[in-house]
Amino acid sequence: MVETVRKQFAANLRQHRDRAGLSQEALADLCDLHRTEISLLERCKRSPRLETIVILARGLELSSPAELLEGIG
């Protein structure tokens, strides 16, 4: 279950980042996170904290952090 959630979050994050035309490093800079944090999230090596989801959604200019959670449930 946890792995499935991580995989879906990683896919959502990567999709939104690609749509925004951002590299992992550029997104990390926008969000004041380290590039390795983005990499770990996209490779399913780490689960994001709630605060990180909100920060990423703002950096990606999403209408809601929930967009990063689509398909998880």
Side-chain angles (χ1 to χ4, degrees):
M1 169 82 175
V2 172
E3 190 63 26
T4 303
V5 171
R6 283 184 185 175
K7 283 182 182 179
Q8 185 62 55
F9 179 83
N12 292 347
L13 176 58
R14 192 174 306 111
Q15 178 183 23
H16 286 292
R17 182 176 61 75
D18 287 344
R19 274 194 203 148
L22 297 170
S23 66
Q24 289 180 349
E25 188 169 0
L27 178 58
D29 287 345
L30 283 172
C31 296
D32 199 28
L33 298 170
H34 198 278
R35 183 200 54 79
T36 56
E37 177 73 10
I38 306 300
S39 175
L40 289 169
L41 291 169
E42 287 190 0
R43 290 183 297 123
C44 305
K45 301 294 182 186
R46 181 174 292 171
S47 294
R49 296 181 331 204
L50 177 60
E51 294 87 355
T52 303
I53 295 171
V54 172
I55 289 167
L56 288 167
R58 287 181 183 159
L60 290 165
E61 298 182 359
L62 302 178
S63 60
S64 169
E67 290 185 57
L68 290 171
L69 304 177
E70 288 178 7
I72 299 172

